[in-house]
Structures are given as C-alpha cells and as structure tokens.
Amino acid sequence: MRDDVLTGGFSDAPVQSARAFRAALDALARPGRIVTLSGGAAPAPLSTAAATLLLTLCDGETPLYLAPGHDAPQVRDWVAFHIGAPIVGPGEAMFALGRWAALGRLDHYPVGTPDYPDRSATLIVELDRLAADGARLTGPGIATEARLSLPETAAFEVNRTRFPLGLDFFFTAGTALAALPRTTRVEAG
Amino acid sequence: MSAYNFAYLDEQTKRMIRRALLKAIAIPGYQVPFASREMPMPYGWGTGGVQVTAACLTPEDRLKVIDQGADDTTNAISIRKFFETTAGVETTERTGEATVIQTRHRIPEAPLGDDQILVYQVPIPEPLRFLEPRETETRRMHALEEYGLMHVKLYEDIARHGAIATSYAYPVKVEGRYVMDPSPIPKFDNPKLESAAIQLFGAGREQRIYAIPPHTRVVSLDFEDHPFVASKADHACDLCGAEQSYLDEVIVDDAGGRMFVCSDTDFCATRQAEGHRGRFSPEAAE
Ligand SMILES: [Zn+2]
C-alpha cells in the first residue's frame, strides 16, 4: 500500500468536518459563492477540496462512483481506508466524483423519486479553475445574480427543469469549492 | 479528552444529518427524512433543532437561543448551556452578534444577515397532517402538488369566521412548489421567512429536516378576495414604544392590569438602551 493511502485524513475530524460542512452548506445555499475547503489530502488526481468534501460527507452508508480518471487503485485504497464508502456504478451512486467529461451522461445518475426527491446523487466535479465568471446564475440563494465558471450550461438547465427531481453539484479546484443545487437557473454568460 | 464528541453527536450521525441538510437546501420546503437520535433532553425541548444546530456548529460560532422570542427561559438557557459545554462555543443574546440562532416559535425582529443561520425547533413538520394522518398519503400529496384540500380548509375558515382563523404555523408555499409548515411562529412573522439568512427546520420526534435557502420566495397561502395579513396586537410596546414588533400580553398586577411588551426581548432591550420609551417605561411611569 502506498504511503499516501494511509495519510490525508482529518487530524481532528469533529472540528475539521464541522468547518468543512459549514463551508459546503454556505456554497450550496448561495450558488456561485466560492469557499475554501482544506484539511483532507488524497492521492492524485483528487483536489484538496474534493478529498475534504468526501471525508466530511461520505462513509459506509454512501455508495460512491469514481469516474474514469479518478477510479485508480490508490484512490480506491484511500477511500476504503479513510471513508469506507462502497464503490458502485453511476446508477447506484449517492455521490459521484470525477472530471466533467468523465462523469458522462447525467441521466445515468439517480435523480430521486416524486415521493423522495432527496434520494438523488450529488456530483463532485473536478475543474482546473473555479472563478466568479462565465455562466449567469439566478434562483434560490441568489439575491440578484451570480456568475460561475461552469463547464457548460445546457446540462444544468435540463437538470433544473426536472425539479423537484434532479442532481446537485459541487465543483472543486484546488482548495476552492462552489455548488449548484437543482433549483439554480443557468444561462450562458 | 472529554467524554462526548464535539457538539455531542457522533461523527456518523452528524454526517447523516449534514447530508439531509444539503438535500433540504437543494429542495426548498421539502421534508427530508433523517434518523433522529436520542438527545439528553425531552422531545418538547426541541431535539430536532438541537440536532440541526449540533450538525452546523463550528468552534468559531456564536450561538443565540430563543424561546418565544426570549433568551432567558429555562428551555433557552438549557440549550445554550448544552452547546457551551459540548461545543465550547460562545453564546450571546444579541441577535446581530449571533452566527447561529436556534429558535422556538419566533423569528427575531431585526432582519438577519447573510452570515447567519436560523434553526427552528419544529413539533409537527407536516402541514397536511390535519387533513390526512397517513404519512404515505401526505408524501403522495406533496409529490403530486395536491394542495387543493389545504385551500379548502383555509376557505372554510373564511366562510365560518369571515377571515382565515389560523394565526400560528400559517402554511406557506416555498419557491412556487412545496407547501411548508413554518413551525408555530405567529403569522406576523411569515414575511420574515424571505430572508438573507439560511433557515433550517428540525423535527426530532417526527424525524424530518427541511430548509429555506436565502433569497427564496415564500408565499403565505391566501385568496384574492382574502389576502394574507401579517397581523399583530394593535398596540405599541409599553416598554420601548415599538409599533411594528410582535407583542406579548403580560398581566402586571392582581387587579388585572395588563401591558403589551415585545416578545423579542433583545429587540426590546436594544431599543430601550437606545432611549426609546413606552407607556410603562420606568421614567415615563413616575
Ligand atoms: Zn419593546
């Protein structure tokens, strides 16, 4: 087992996960807001923010899909050692992690049911950069409008039209994190 | 090492609650089921709110707890002490200084900011419960947006009383989709549900979490010919003179003398400190 598999967990899980959750809550409640997430470190190619988010939200009860590029032996070992989430295909995933293109078609992920729209996947999308520019965001959590450097707009707009069903997204780049709940209206910038 | 975890709950429980909170934010007004834990306090003391607060607190937070607007009730003091001990957070009675506010039955009068979280203690999360006791059926009604019966019930009020009699827990529609119980706040508080703060609702006994994100449309159900009115007692506060705050009626002597005072004790104290006076203010009474 590689050294970086055994390291990179939280040194003070209760406090670090509390701070990370608050940042993630803030990001999801205010789409477009970019927050800093750190404390976790996973083998490449995982960003610090993605590793920290996994440590904060995932455990043995959260089936996880690793998209091609992120599905590497050292990543699987790290997840098994620190998180214990079962690795599954996209159709069973509660969380999915990967780069935008690698995550593939969004209709492969659970979007919830009419009775339980919360039983839907959360996608963690790794980007090269995350900035308050690009696509125009409006909707709950946004006073007027926000901008976010999304990888595209059409897929998110399709996702929104399925409300209350749908997927929710976190975007990560380095230690930066932003989010897009299914309620956000996304228009090309 | 202390005998309990940070903010009392174990990490796995907090992760489960945190996942539910995120889905609640993503689906405004929808009730997310969660596995409520036993807390070292009775259900009537807001165990749902306490669990939500526990899942949200960081050591840097400053917590305020109010019970019907007051910081000094037994319930509010106990919850504040609980988190001072288990999470080591600072507490405050000042609305403007708090980063997390747990509340039972009121929304503070002062507008909340975008760096604040308001956590509500909820006894009955299901607004359709009095129409339909079965959980499978109410869930179905929400899924199909079958809210006609709800409007019929409100309209029966109008037919019987000439106005909608519901004055607490007045139902709202969130972002044009889910009908939601705002917890037993007076309907006077309903307009404050549209806020810059994050609003989280926890029902412990019924194991439900729901949320209103900041800047989300919240409409009190009403009718064109009987629009919603956020009414209050037609008085000014007898201590601070406020005319736009929610008032409690207080018996002041054996002869049945009464006065009206702000139910939001911090709001009233702040106004008095600023020099505002009411009919029964100490100086005015001399
Ligand atoms: Zn007053």
Side-chain angles (χ1 to χ4, degrees), chain A residues 10-165:
Chain A
F10 288 144
S11 54
D12 182 4
V15 168
Q16 287 176 292
S17 61
R19 288 182 183 135
F21 169 70
R22 273 293 280 284
L25 175 70
D26 206 28
L28 190 73
R30 300 184 170 87
R33 180 174 291 193
I34 296 170
V35 300
T36 301
L37 219 56
S38 62
L46 266 73
S47 67
T48 298
T52 306
L53 193 62
L54 289 181
L55 288 167
T56 302
L57 297 179
C58 296
D59 54 31
E61 295 173 9
T62 61
L64 172 68
Y65 171 63
L66 297 172
H70 279 69
D71 189 1
Q74 67 274 20
V75 175
R76 282 188 175 233
D77 288 347
W78 186 85
V79 168
F81 185 75
H82 293 282
I83 292 166
I87 304 298
V88 298
E92 287 78 51
M94 194 182 291
F95 288 87
L97 170 66
R99 294 187 65 83
W100 179 245
L103 285 163
R105 293 179 51 173
L106 296 188
D107 56 6
H108 290 164
Y109 297 93
V111 292
T113 66
D115 283 7
Y116 294 95
D118 57 305
R119 295 179 182 172
S120 52
T122 300
L123 273 55
I124 304 167
V125 185
E126 298 256 51
L127 303 175
D128 292 329
R129 69 181 279 275
L130 200 48
D133 57 36
R136 176 175 180 268
L137 315 183
T138 52
I142 304 165
T144 51
E145 66 166 47
R147 301 271 172 178
L148 191 62
S149 53
L150 296 176
E152 69 161 276
T153 55
F156 300 111
E157 197 48 26
V158 170
N159 183 57
R160 187 187 70 87
T161 60
R162 308 179 80 164
F163 185 85
L165 306 188

